[in-house]
Amino acid sequence: LDCSTTSSTAIAWDVAGRSVAHASVPIATTSPAPGHAEQDPEAWWSASVEALRRCSVALNGRQVDALGITFQRETFTLLDQHMEPVRPAILWYDDRAVEHVAQLRDRLDHEDVLRTTGKHLDITATAARLLWLRQHEPAVLDRACYLADVPAFLSQRLTGHLATVVCGVDTTGLVTLDGAWWPAPLQAAGCPQLKLPRLLPALTVAGELSPVAAGLCALPAGLPVILAGGDGHCFVHAALALAGGKAGATLTLGTSAILGIPTEQALTGQAFRTLLGCTPGTYTLESVIQCGSATLSWFDDVFDTSHQTAAEWDTLVQDV
């Protein structure tokens, strides 16, 4: 299951690595103010349930051995004591917290943050968005008990366990390069009371599919639910596998454009952020352009490029 920015997609693979069933259900995004991007966490759940159900039905009774989950990174929601969302989720490309990054830098040493987490204090940092909420929606934060990213929310609904995976949630800036929660950003954002999900290594079983969730998804109860990693993390892991573990770099072209350089050293620098790899002891140095294919869509809309095919554009850009 890939619960991504625009849809939740379920794909069934056989042991030879062949796709044998597929289903995808869209997820709507809202922008209540300029620069804001939000989703209803219940839409993650309903889209995921429907995608899994359709995929399972398409298998015509074939045995399913496990359910793996990958997901859009940095997006998070806040849950109350009953594990219900207290507000819409804030998406990874939301840029409401520009001014709050500067406030955070007055409270946290940027170089210390970079050394500790491998991440920069920028608008993708969860702490900056929490600081925005503390200043603009304090009553909401006072109701919140838990902070949950996409896999934690789905894990709780599927298994009853609020858990996330280190190679994915590390993009929030709340995780050290050693793979542990780092409380300093939450304290700096004025949210020390927020409880965090159980933090799991990559490819770890978060729990078993509950009977209720199994019935909704048309899957067997007790099925192991495995948190594989963030979508970008899993992409690099798969590219390395296909390249025999010797890929020099990866390029992801989606809503964002991402350059990834795999390494076995936890290097840090101003030109990239350092991610924890899906394999223990590995890392990815990642540079991101937040609007990747979205920029191409804008270009197409503004300049009416419909007379050029994608293949023709590929040929033209080779000379640029």
Side-chain angles (χ1 to χ4, degrees), residues 23-56:
S24 187
V25 178
I27 299 173
T29 299
T30 60
S31 182
H36 292 210
E38 299 183 346
Q39 288 178 343
D40 182 358
E42 295 295 346
W44 303 340
W45 175 239
S46 60
S48 296
V49 164
E50 182 61 17
L52 287 169
R53 188 192 65 79
R54 293 181 189 176
C55 189
S56 179

Side-chain angles (χ1 to χ4, degrees), residues 16 26 32 56 71 83 85 103 105 117 121 143 164 182 197 204 211 240 248 284 292 299 310:
S56 179
F71 50 90
M83 298 292 181
Q103 295 179 38
R105 292 193 177 198
T117 68
L121 272 179
R143 289 175 50 212
T164 189
W182 191 43
T204 301
L240 282 170
T284 299
F299 185 86

Side-chain angles (χ1 to χ4, degrees), residues 3-228:
C3 190
S4 66
T5 310
T6 58
S7 64
S8 202
T9 301
I11 305 178
W13 305 87
D14 65 15
V15 292
R18 293 182 294 254
S19 171
V20 294
H22 173 279
S24 187
V25 178
I27 299 173
T29 299
T30 60
S31 182
H36 292 210
E38 299 183 346
Q39 288 178 343
D40 182 358
E42 295 295 346
W44 303 340
W45 175 239
S46 60
S48 296
V49 164
E50 182 61 17
L52 287 169
R53 188 192 65 79
R54 293 181 189 176
C55 189
S56 179
V57 169
L59 290 173
N60 293 319
R62 293 178 64 173
Q63 178 180 330
V64 178
D65 293 326
L67 169 60
I69 298 177
T70 187
F71 50 90
Q72 55 169 307
R73 306 173 298 180
E74 294 136 48
T75 297
F76 71 91
T77 188
L78 298 171
L79 308 177
D80 63 17
Q81 60 181 334
H82 304 295
M83 298 292 181
E84 298 297 330
V86 299
R87 75 173 317 283
I90 297 178
L91 262 64
W92 54 272
Y93 64 87
D94 183 291
D95 67 0
R96 74 184 67 196
V98 173
E99 297 177 4
H100 301 80
V101 173
Q103 295 179 38
L104 271 183
R105 292 193 177 198
D106 290 336
R107 305 180 187 190
L108 292 169
D109 180 80
H110 185 218
E111 291 302 320
D112 184 40
V113 173
L114 184 59
R115 283 192 302 270
T116 303
T117 68
K119 315 301 181 297
H120 300 277
L121 272 179
D122 56 25
I123 58 170
T124 64
T126 296
R129 292 158 177 170
L130 288 172
L131 186 57
W132 185 96
L133 290 170
R134 173 55 69 197
Q135 296 178 7
H136 292 270
E137 299 180 11
V140 169
L141 268 181
D142 289 342
R143 289 175 50 212
C145 295
Y146 301 92
L147 184 146
D149 59 351
V150 174
F153 184 80
L154 292 178
S155 172
Q156 199 282 325
R157 290 291 177 92
L158 291 167
T159 71
H161 300 291
L162 188 71
T164 189
V165 60
V166 64
C167 55
V169 74
D170 62 327
T171 59
T172 62
L174 302 177
V175 176
T176 70
L177 287 173
D178 294 327
W181 288 119
W182 191 43
L186 288 184
Q187 295 170 354
C191 306
Q193 85 287 358
L194 286 178
K195 299 175 184 178
L196 297 171
R198 184 162 56 107
L199 191 56
L200 301 176
L203 305 177
T204 301
V205 176
E208 296 182 344
L209 193 64
S210 72
V212 172
L216 293 172
C217 301
L219 289 168
L223 192 71
V225 176
I226 299 169
L227 303 185

Side-chain angles (χ1 to χ4, degrees), residues 167 201-203 228-230 232-238 276-284:
C167 55
L203 305 177
H233 294 67
C234 289
F235 173 80
V236 172
H237 189 70
L276 295 166
C278 291
T279 302
T282 65
Y283 306 88
T284 299

